Amino acid sequence: MAIRIIRTDNDPILRKLSKEVTVFDEKLQILVDDMIETMHHADGVGLAAPQIGVLKRVIVIDLYDDEGPMALINPRFIDQSGLQIEEEGCLSLPGRHGMVKRPLSVTVQFEDIDGETYELTGEELLARVLCHEIDHLDGILYIDKQVTVENKEA
Ligand code: CO
């Protein structure tokens, strides 16, 4: 496993569309392992592959609860409901925070590392992290959706 460099700020790769994963091989396992290690090293609760310069639809999440780290390949929303407005930050936008509107509950379909399809329903923090990380796969950052003016932007 290796810690990868997290792309930040105006790096153009953060704005690109990531491609669907079609090959579930050892290379994908290495990517997932490196993403989890990189997320843990940065004390993050989530990381998307484009943040380490890989334009593949892969996200990892760890809420540091009993669930442990999760890897979701090709995550897509199949349901969402409710509304929450909470503060978010991003490992790619160090030192910044902003309030963002998200659904309170989301259900996501995804493949695991072996290509098996599963569903995951998350509420509150998990819902927010799922939305935030899936946005990264479409080149969207939380600052695009934040509902208050950021202090550091003059
Ligand atoms: Co982020």
Side-chain angles (χ1 to χ4, degrees):
M1 297 215 286
I3 294 165
R4 309 262 193 120
I5 292 165
I6 297 176
R7 306 297 188 94
T8 58
D9 300 307
N10 295 321
D11 191 317
I13 205 152
L14 295 172
R15 293 307 193 168
K16 295 197 169 149
L17 190 66
S18 291
K19 290 202 173 99
E20 196 123 326
V21 172
T22 54
V23 180
F24 294 81
D25 59 1
E26 198 180 333
K27 213 176 145 193
L28 181 66
Q29 181 72 63
I30 290 166
L31 173 65
V32 163
D33 290 345
D34 285 359
M35 285 175 64
I36 290 170
E37 190 172 6
T38 303
M39 170 179 65
H40 285 159
H41 183 254
D43 289 323
V45 291
L47 189 74
Q51 291 183 274
I52 57 161
V54 177
L55 290 172
K56 290 184 176 170
R57 301 189 78 83
V58 178
I59 65 172
V60 294
I61 291 174
D62 195 344
L63 301 186
Y64 304 99
D65 58 11
D66 295 342
E67 207 60 46
M70 297 180 269
L72 288 75
I73 319 294
N74 303 326
R76 57 263 178 197
F77 295 106
I78 55 172
D79 195 26
Q80 45 186 287
S81 64
L83 175 71
Q84 56 174 325
I85 303 174
E86 297 289 343
E87 191 174 72
E88 290 185 23
C90 179
L91 294 176
S92 291
L93 299 170
R96 302 165 70 170
H97 298 277
M99 302 298 283
V100 185
K101 274 188 203 179
R102 301 288 190 188
L104 186 61
S105 173
V106 299
T107 300
V108 170
Q109 199 172 62
F110 64 98
E111 275 71 59
D112 74 355
I113 193 74
D114 299 314
E116 298 287 328
T117 301
Y118 291 92
E119 281 179 17
L120 172 67
T121 296
E123 295 182 352
E124 298 179 340
L125 177 60
L126 181 55
R128 193 158 72 247
V129 176
L130 283 164
C131 291
H132 178 115
E133 301 310 330
I134 292 172
D135 271 353
H136 272 299
L137 306 180
D138 295 319
I140 298 165
L141 300 175
Y142 82 82
I143 50 173
D144 304 339
K145 296 184 167 179
Q146 82 180 66
V147 290
T148 52
V149 177
E150 189 148 359
N151 295 336
K152 294 201 172 175
E153 277 181 17

